[in-house]
């Protein structure tokens, strides 16, 4: 063979080789691309005695078996968390093998009753049971002060009140009752507790936190997580409601004016302190406590750490959380968090997943997510081993909860808003009040006082007591929540028969003469997230006027502050005889009256410093003001009488 023929042959062989290699690549690409989630037709049905179905085997063995049976499509479905109203066709959850569905705040069924919820959630969860592998779906929601999604549920104090009570055993019981009420409606995943440390009261999410002190947050968060576990039966070892420790990490330290959202000021802003030493000494300890207590999901915060979005930060999510803290559960991103600041969906998906997000709270477009993921795997932009790791972590939580082994039962919804839970909420309210000022021992007021006058916007306003995340994301101002007790109603039922109680929101009383005591109940209208960012958290002019009017109509004035955070009251305080931080107590206003009239003692302490001026912000991690001047009341302050 002459060289010419040889080289011709070599060339032809090379071309043929290239052709076949390309064919293989294209085949793999197409196989990955067209690997459907509903692979019932192609993938075999698992045998009835498949190891993953055997509850006697260890979770590790079961997970390995299940993973080995899953198609790529089935794996990618597990990584999708979809908002319930974004599910175009209910059959999609089955078709795509969706891992989780959520009700965002206000994501209620048309029939917003416990029964309505139970039916709605079951529409999703039941569908998954008849898929090829029968992997259960997680239904999640924010139930951060009781299951506030449904009218009639017991509403506990928001976390800031539990932080003031600073009682881990109480916190555990509150979490347990919350989990019992929501699992009765089929909800088995909560996006709580919040471990954020609020350094700046101008942030609209202060009340969602326990405290700005990691030493207070860690034990309370751990207690809360323990309370969510084993919520429906003491005997079961499995987790009944999956807790989410959030928002990893550093939230509460964002700098004023840095929000990436044009409507907000501080929420979704920049955590300026990306110092690894601070990360370890301040931010991580509450997470260590939460993981030790068994948290198996952690939410990546909607903020940036220095100049990088947390959901894109591999160092935080993988190196620190998964490797250093040895977190064995899964990382879920926050609402649209992977995409919030991005213009390129594909790039955002690839970066988020490679950074360590395991389940994406999309929450909208699951079809694009799944097809982007397939392309990313085919392109090698995301490795199959990263997908396997993410799915394994999600399965760790699902197996630990016992979801694979449960027999479908119809839960008892009569527990929602039960007397027992309301009694617990009432005692939580009692323990959460912080006595800030008490001239001449005015408090507690005698139950036999002859004449009480009550004023202020929060006196007869359950919506202000319960705050946001109550049926609607931003809450609902006013008296509309059946079964709840306003603080005014609590006052009326606390005093003796001979006591006259008068109420005028404005503090303008037509009758002449002075009451023995005036009780002004004032505070903030409900708000959530960045909509509550406020340049100057303060009382409204109407409330300040009402206090002034009440002052003229009463011998002494007590001011009860119903708010999600400390308000700037420095110039007002000298004219008040007594002042109490009530926080956002929830549905049981009676608990406030109990303490005001001496049926329970004052025992709460400030979970964060109460600033004198806005210039003192942000506070330091040690609870001191930014400019070194003394706060109006330091963290830990709380009079006993
Ligand atoms: C909040 C999260 C919450 C999620 C789901 C987001 O807007 O930042 O805290 O868990 O919505 O409702």
């Amino acid at each position: 063979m002459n060289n010419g023929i040889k080289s011709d042959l070599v060339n032809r062989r090379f071309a043929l080789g290239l052709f076949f290699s390309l064919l293989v690549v294209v085949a793999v690409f197409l196989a990955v691309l067209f690997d459907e989630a509903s692979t019932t037709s192609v993938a075999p049905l698992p045998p009835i005695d498949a190891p993953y179905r055997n509850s006697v085997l260890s979770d590790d063995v079961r997970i390995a078996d299940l993973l080995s049976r899953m198609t790529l499509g089935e794996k990618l479905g597990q990584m999708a968390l979809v908002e319930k109203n974004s599910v175009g066709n209910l059959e999609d959850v089955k078709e795509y093998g969706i891992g989780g569905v959520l009700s965002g705040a206000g994501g209620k069924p048309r029939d917003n009753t416990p029964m309505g919820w139970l039916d709605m959630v079951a529409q999703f969860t039941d569908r998954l049971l008849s898929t090829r592998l029968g992997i259960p779906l997680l239904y999640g929601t924010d139930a951060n002060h009781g299951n506030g999604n449904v009218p009639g549920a017991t509403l506990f104090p928001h976390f800031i009140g539990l932080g003031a009570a600073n009682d881990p055993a109480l916190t555990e019981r509150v979490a347990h009752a919350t989990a019992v009420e929501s699992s009765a409606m089929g909800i088995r995943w909560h996006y709580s507790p919040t471990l954020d440390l609020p350094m700046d009261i101008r942030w609209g999410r202060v009340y969602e936190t326990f405290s700005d002190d990691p030493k207070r947050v860690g034990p309370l968060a751990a207690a809360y997580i323990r309370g969510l576990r084993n919520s429906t039966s003491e005997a079961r070892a499995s987790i009944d409601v999956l807790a989410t420790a959030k928002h990893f990490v550093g939230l509460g330290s964002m700098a004023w004016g840095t929000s990436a959202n044009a409507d907000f000021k501080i929420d979704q802003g920049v955590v300026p302190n990306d110092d690894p030493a601070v990360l370890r000494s301040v931010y991580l300890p509450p997470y260590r406590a939460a993981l030790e207590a068994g948290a198996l999901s952690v939410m990546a915060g909607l903020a940036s750490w220095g100049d990088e979005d947390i959901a894109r930060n591999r160092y935080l999510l993988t190196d620190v959380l998964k490797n250093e803290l040895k977190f064995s559960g899964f990382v879920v991103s926050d609402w649209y968090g992977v995409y919030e600041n991005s213009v390129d969906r594909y790039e955002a998906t690839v970066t988020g997943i490679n950074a360590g997000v395991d389940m994406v709270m999309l929450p909208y477009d699951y079809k694009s997510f799944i097809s982007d993921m397939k392309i990313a795997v085919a392109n090698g932009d995301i490795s199959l081993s990263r997908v396997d790791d993410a799915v394994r972590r999600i399965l760790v939580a699902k197996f630990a909860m016992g979801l694979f082994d449960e027999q479908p039962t119809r839960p008892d919804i009569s527990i929602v808003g039960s007397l027992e839970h309301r009694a617990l909420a009432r005692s939580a309210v009692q323990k959460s009040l912080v006595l800030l000022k008490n001239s001449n021992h005015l408090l507690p007021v005698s139950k036999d006082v002859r004449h009480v006058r009550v004023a202020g916007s929060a006196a007869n306003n359950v919506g202000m007591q319960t705050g946001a995340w109550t049926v609607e994301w931003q809450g609902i101002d006013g008296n509309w929540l059946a079964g709840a007790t306003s603080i005014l109603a609590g006052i009326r039922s606390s005093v003796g028969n001979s006591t006259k109680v008068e109420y005028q929101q404005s503090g303008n009383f037509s009758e002449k003469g002075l009451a023995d005591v005036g009780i002004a109940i004032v505070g903030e209208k409900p708000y959530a997230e960045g909509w509550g960012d406020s340049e100057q958290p303060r009382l409204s002019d109407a409330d300040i006027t009402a206090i002034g009017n009440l002052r003229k109509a009463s011998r002494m004035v007590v001011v009860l502050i119903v708010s999600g955070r400390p308000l700037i009251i420095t110039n007002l305080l000298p004219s008040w005889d007594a002042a109490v931080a009530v926080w956002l107590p929830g549905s049981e206003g009676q608990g406030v009256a109990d303490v005001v009239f001496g049926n329970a003692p004052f025992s709460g302490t400030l979970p964060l410093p109460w600033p004198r001026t806005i210039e003192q912000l942000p506070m330091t991690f040690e609870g001191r003001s930014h400019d070194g001047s003394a706060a109006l009341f330091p963290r830990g302050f709380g009079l006993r009488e």
Side-chain angles (χ1 to χ4, degrees):
M1 249 185 260
N2 71 31
N3 273 350
I5 297 174
K6 192 177 171 196
S7 77
D8 194 36
L9 262 182
V10 168
N11 280 345
R12 266 201 266 161
R13 268 196 213 147
F14 177 75
L16 222 59
L18 194 69
F19 174 73
F20 280 117
S21 315
L22 273 175
L23 214 63
V24 171
V25 169
V26 170
V28 169
F29 185 81
L30 289 178
V32 165
L33 205 58
F34 294 110
D35 172 278
E36 288 302 320
S38 64
T39 37
T40 8
S41 51
V42 275
L45 272 177
I48 199 76
D49 60 350
Y52 83 90
R53 289 188 163 144
N54 185 346
S55 62
V56 173
L57 299 174
S58 73
D59 286 357
D60 284 350
V61 170
R62 298 176 77 185
I63 291 167
D65 176 62
L66 180 52
L67 259 178
S68 72
R69 296 175 191 277
M70 292 172 77
T71 63
L72 179 64
E74 284 164 333
K75 290 175 183 171
L76 299 181
Q78 286 301 306
M79 297 172 73
L81 176 56
V82 188
E83 187 267 327
K84 66 126 181 142
N85 292 324
S86 302
V87 179
N89 174 352
L90 276 180
E91 285 304 305
D92 280 358
V93 291
K94 188 171 165 186
E95 173 77 14
Y96 291 90
I98 297 294
V101 169
L102 86 148
S103 274
K108 49 192 175 296
R110 196 164 297 142
D111 168 24
N112 195 8
T113 61
M115 187 61 89
W117 274 88
L118 190 57
D119 290 341
M120 176 187 77
V121 174
Q123 282 194 322
F124 293 100
T125 50
D126 287 358
R127 274 194 165 68
L128 266 292
L129 299 179
S130 58
T131 54
R132 186 179 74 93
L133 297 168
I135 303 174
L137 173 147
L138 273 173
Y139 199 100
T141 192
D142 297 276
N144 44 19
H145 61 137
N147 183 13
N149 296 293
V150 68
T154 311
L155 294 179
F156 296 92
H158 271 284
F159 279 160
I160 197 72
L162 296 181
N166 197 17
D167 178 342
L170 170 77
T171 302
E172 186 169 337
R173 289 169 65 211
V174 167
H176 182 83
T178 304
V180 169
E181 291 205 7
S182 63
S183 60
M185 293 166 27
I187 300 166
R188 301 291 294 279
W189 185 17
H190 288 181
Y191 305 126
S192 52
T194 303
L195 278 59
D196 302 341
L197 306 172
M199 297 298 148
D200 194 324
I201 61 161
R202 290 173 293 183
W203 187 31
R205 305 194 75 167
V206 171
Y207 64 88
E208 291 184 60
T209 70
F210 290 114
S211 164
D212 69 348
D213 181 0
K215 292 195 196 68
R216 205 181 272 223
V217 174
L220 292 176
Y224 196 88
I225 291 161
R226 284 196 301 273
L228 289 188
R229 302 174 65 169
N230 297 323
S231 55
T232 53
S233 155
E234 301 295 343
R236 283 223 352 234
S238 62
I239 299 169
D240 273 326
V241 167
L242 178 66
T244 307
K246 73 181 187 187
H247 304 84
F248 194 78
V249 64
L251 269 78
S253 285
M254 297 83 66
W256 178 259
T258 61
S259 180
N261 183 323
D263 291 319
F264 303 164
K265 284 294 184 195
I266 187 166
D267 192 43
Q268 299 183 16
V270 177
V271 178
N273 198 334
D274 51 5
D275 174 352
V278 172
L279 172 67
R280 283 175 183 78
S281 60
V282 179
Y283 300 127
L284 291 188
Y287 281 91
R288 285 187 197 280
L291 301 195
E292 269 164 33
L296 285 176
S297 80
V298 167
M299 189 184 289
L302 207 49
S304 53
W305 179 259
D307 55 10
E308 187 167 49
D309 281 3
I310 292 171
R312 299 168 64 92
N313 192 309
R314 194 185 147 81
Y315 168 71
L316 291 177
L317 303 184
T318 298
D319 299 351
V320 174
L321 177 60
K322 292 180 178 175
N323 296 341
E324 190 176 324
L325 266 54
K326 305 206 176 345
F327 173 53
S328 61
F330 68 95
V331 172
V332 58
S333 52
D334 200 346
W335 187 273
Y336 201 59
V338 163
Y339 306 106
E340 187 74 41
N341 300 319
S342 134
V343 280
D344 180 342
R345 274 193 71 94
Y346 178 82
E347 185 276 336
T349 303
V350 168
T351 309
I353 300 295
N354 284 335
V357 173
D358 301 305
M359 191 188 260
V360 183
M361 195 188 288
L362 293 160
Y364 314 111
D365 189 354
Y366 46 96
K367 293 185 186 171
S368 309
F369 168 72
I370 288 175
S371 71
D372 280 351
M373 284 293 291
K374 284 184 176 172
I375 294 169
V377 171
N379 283 346
D381 288 338
I382 295 175
S383 68
L384 260 178
S385 63
R386 175 74 268 274
V387 170
D388 282 349
D389 174 55
V391 176
R392 193 179 43 74
R393 289 170 173 278
I394 294 162
L395 294 177
V396 162
K398 290 186 175 180
F399 274 102
M401 294 171 72
L403 291 183
F404 283 83
D405 307 319
E406 284 176 353
Q407 298 306 319
T409 50
R410 201 72 185 159
D412 173 16
I413 51 169
S414 68
I415 196 77
V416 177
S418 70
L419 288 178
E420 182 196 340
H421 289 169
R422 289 187 185 279
L424 173 63
R426 178 172 166 181
S427 84
V429 174
Q430 294 166 356
K431 290 180 179 162
S432 68
L433 302 197
V434 180
L435 182 57
L436 299 173
K437 177 176 180 180
N438 197 16
S439 302
N440 305 318
H441 299 287
L442 170 57
L443 291 171
V445 177
S446 162
K447 278 168 256 180
D448 299 321
V449 62
R450 276 181 312 135
H451 188 186
V452 177
R453 280 180 170 152
V454 180
S457 65
N460 190 29
N461 190 325
V462 166
M464 285 176 74
Q465 279 170 223
T466 52
W469 303 95
T470 307
V471 183
E472 296 296 344
W473 182 36
Q474 298 294 324
I476 307 174
D477 189 22
N479 264 340
W480 51 271
L481 199 64
T485 310
S486 69
I487 301 175
L488 175 65
I491 291 174
R492 289 195 198 280
S493 70
S494 297
V495 293
N497 288 339
S498 56
T499 303
K500 179 173 169 186
V501 178
E502 284 182 292
Y503 164 65
Q504 279 297 334
Q505 181 172 327
S506 65
N508 276 318
F509 293 88
S510 48
E511 224 179 280
K512 294 271 171 283
L514 295 180
D516 299 304
V517 181
I519 304 179
I521 309 171
V522 293
E524 293 186 298
K525 295 289 183 195
Y527 54 79
E529 301 191 31
W531 299 109
D533 288 353
S534 164
E535 195 144 13
Q536 175 90 1
R538 60 188 288 274
L539 291 176
S540 67
D541 290 343
D543 270 345
I544 294 172
T545 307
I547 300 172
N549 292 339
L550 188 66
R551 170 88 271 165
K552 290 186 213 131
S554 320
R555 289 195 178 83
M556 305 279 195
V557 168
V558 180
V559 178
L560 308 183
I561 304 167
V562 177
S563 65
R565 52 187 155 194
L567 305 178
I568 301 300
I569 54 169
T570 313
N571 297 333
L572 302 168
L573 190 64
S575 64
W576 305 346
D577 299 295
V580 181
V582 170
W583 314 112
L584 300 173
S587 57
E588 306 312 303
Q590 182 66 55
V592 178
D594 291 340
V595 184
V596 169
F597 288 93
N599 288 328
F602 280 101
S603 60
T605 56
L606 284 181
L608 73 174
W610 193 293
R612 187 177 290 277
T613 64
I614 287 305
E615 286 65 42
Q616 294 186 317
L617 300 170
M619 292 294 178
T620 68
F621 298 122
E622 294 75 32
R624 285 195 283 276
S625 69
H626 180 66
D627 62 7
S629 56
L632 187 60
F633 300 107
R635 181 206 277 166
F637 181 85
L639 301 171
R640 287 289 167 267
E641 55 184 29

